Amino acid sequence: DIVMTQSPLSLSVTPGEPASISCRSSRSLLHSDGFNFLSWYLQKPGQSPQLLIYLGSNRASGVPDRFSGSASGTDFTLKISRVEAEDVGVYFCMQGLQVPVTFGQGTRLETK
Amino acid sequence: EVQLVESGGDLVQPGGSLRLSCIASGFTFSHFWMGWIRQAPRKGLEWVATMNPDGSNKYYVDSVKGRFSFSRDDAKRSLYLQMNSLRADDTAVYYCGRGNQGAYDIWGQGTMVTVSS
C-alpha cells in the first residue's frame, strides 16, 4: 500500500499570513498520462471533506486562488498564500493512483 | 445542482447487517467512477470501496473484503453498500464520493453507522 505522510499535524496561523502543509508518498504517484494522482481536501468543522486540489496542482472549481498545490518527486505541498478565518479545519492529502486509495493523517489548521 | 445524498446509517449490533444508499443528481451518473469513504469518530479518512462506471470492476479495502458489497443502479442513479458481519471498528460516518481525475470531487453529507451492543 502507498503510505501518505503529512506534516505538520497541526498548524496555528495568524490571519493574513501564509501556511504550508507537506505530504510525502512512499512511492511515485506519477500516472502514465504524466500527472500526479495526488489531491488535497479540506474538512471544515462539522462538514464533509471538499476537494481543493487535484492532479497535484489543479484547483477545483470554486476554490480561491490563494490555495495552490505543487509537487517535487514524492513530496507534495499545499500552500495558502494568505490564511483567512474560513480556512480553519483539517486538511488531507490523498493518493488516487492505485488501490487501496490512501489518505494522509490530516493537518489541523487553526487561526490565532 | 451536483449532489450526492447518503442514507441508511443506523445503530446495529455486532454481526449484524446494514445497507447504505447514495442517490446522485445533477450529473451523468453512469459516466463516473464512484466510491465510499468512511471516517471513524475523531479519526481520519479511510477509503472503503470504489467501482468503475459500468460496474465491471470493484475494489475494496482489505478490512471489508468478503463482508461488504458495492453495487450501483444507473437507472435509479444510486449506489449501494451492503455491509454484513459488522464489527465495532466499522463504526464511522460513511461518505459516497464521485471519482474524477484521481480525486473525489463531490462528496455527500455522510451517514452514521454505529456498531454496538
Side-chain angles (χ1 to χ4, degrees), chain A residues 10-22:
Chain A
S10 65
L11 203 50
S12 183
V13 181
T14 301
E17 294 297 305
S20 180
I21 300 170
S22 295

Side-chain angles (χ1 to χ4, degrees), chain B residues 17-20 67-71 80-84:
Chain B
S17 296
L18 209 54
R19 188 198 198 205
L20 305 183
R67 300 188 300 123
F68 288 14
S69 179
F70 187 8
S71 60
Y80 305 101
L81 188 66
Q82 178 66 43
M83 305 186 295
N84 299 328

Side-chain angles (χ1 to χ4, degrees), chain A residues 63-92:
Chain A
V63 174
D65 61 7
R66 63 179 182 275
F67 290 92
S68 64
S70 62
S72 176
T74 58
D75 290 327
F76 301 87
T77 303
L78 176 71
K79 292 184 178 178
I80 310 173
S81 59
R82 294 173 305 279
V83 170
E84 297 188 5
E86 66 181 23
D87 300 336
V88 300
V90 182
Y91 290 79
F92 295 94

